[in-house]
Amino acid sequence: NDAPDGTLDAPLGPLGYRAILECKTARSGIAENVPPAEPAKFRKRYAATAAVIVAPGIKHEVTFFSELNEHDVSFWTVDELIQALNTDVDSYECRELFKAGPVHDRLRDLVWSRTHGPEKRARVIRDMLQRHGFAAQRDLVNQVPWNDMPALTLDVAMLLVEGALRRAGVTGGATRDEIRAAMDDLVRSFDAVAVPEHGGIIIRTPGHSISTP
């Protein structure tokens, strides 16, 4: 009584924050008469910067949504909470998701970005490097002993990926940082072996084709 259902603390150092959490149940699946002022009133007492209401669903009342903005409270359905967890949303991204109003559109944009934005681009670059790098090594099998196989350096990797991107009709190319990140990721996943003395990697597996951005 006279306390929030919970508080959420983001362990982000100087960017850390606390959110008030208010949970509502509804036998019908649609919560009614949910006052956004309820979690908002605890913000000062608990030194919180955000306030969140979670419910299975909500009756679409104009006053409820206007009060969300008035009291700077975020509203989530249980399904949206599950989607955020399945998407591995982190506490830094929640700073934006915890802004006033229904989270639906902000969460949808974040999921879209995860699927089609920088993360998909990184996967495409990694896949192209793996496939074309492995193919280049394969072409050398009958010319060079395996233990003398030249390492795939950053510059060579850039040439391979740039050519593959152009053939796929992708403009803009890949940056050195993106190629370096793809090389590191291949090593971490054991799809490649680092050869520091030659400043590069040797790719172990051919990989699979995925669609370009």
Side-chain angles (χ1 to χ4, degrees):
N1 293 326
D2 195 31
D5 290 327
T7 58
L8 305 174
D9 290 308
L12 297 173
L15 296 178
Y17 63 91
R18 172 173 290 172
I20 298 297
L21 182 63
E22 190 70 24
C23 302
K24 298 298 180 182
T25 60
R27 191 178 298 274
S28 67
I30 302 296
E32 299 185 42
N33 302 317
V34 179
E38 187 175 342
K41 72 181 180 182
F42 297 117
R43 187 182 278 117
K44 184 175 181 180
R45 187 194 308 176
Y46 286 84
T49 56
V52 183
I53 294 174
V54 179
I58 197 74
K59 186 175 181 180
H60 283 253
E61 298 174 340
V62 174
T63 54
F64 172 75
F65 293 107
S66 64
E67 287 180 15
L68 286 176
N69 290 317
E70 179 183 348
H71 296 284
D72 193 16
V73 174
S74 176
F75 172 71
W76 297 54
T77 66
V78 173
D79 286 342
E80 287 162 347
L81 179 61
I82 293 171
Q83 183 181 27
L85 291 169
N86 288 335
T87 309
D88 289 328
V89 169
D90 61 37
S91 54
Y92 181 80
E93 290 167 324
C94 281
R95 291 172 65 92
E96 182 70 22
L97 298 178
F98 286 164
K99 287 185 176 179
V103 74
H104 176 75
D105 289 345
R106 293 191 295 276
L107 182 59
R108 180 199 59 196
D109 291 345
L110 176 61
V111 172
W112 189 95
S113 179
R114 288 282 185 88
T115 306
H116 302 285
E119 291 197 8
K120 181 177 181 182
R121 176 182 173 86
R123 291 198 304 271
V124 169
I125 291 172
R126 179 194 188 279
D127 178 77
M128 286 184 166
L129 174 59
Q130 184 175 1
R131 288 188 293 115
H132 293 283
F134 187 86
Q137 291 175 182
R138 184 185 57 206
D139 293 341
L140 293 172
V141 165
N142 296 325
Q143 305 174 39
V144 180
W146 178 255
N147 58 354
D148 288 332
M149 182 70 69
L152 188 68
T153 65
L154 178 60
D155 289 334
V156 173
M158 286 200 69
L159 288 174
L160 287 173
V161 174
E162 285 285 351
L165 287 171
R166 282 197 299 271
R167 288 191 295 274
V170 178
T171 59
T175 66
R176 293 181 71 85
D177 286 343
E178 287 174 327
I179 298 295
R180 186 179 292 107
M183 294 172 71
D184 291 342
D185 193 48
L186 287 171
V187 172
R188 281 193 298 269
S189 64
F190 302 106
D191 289 306
V193 177
V195 190
E197 62 271 25
H198 295 292
I201 62 174
I202 292 177
I203 298 175
R204 301 172 56 185
T205 58
H208 305 283
S209 177
I210 61 175
S211 61
T212 55

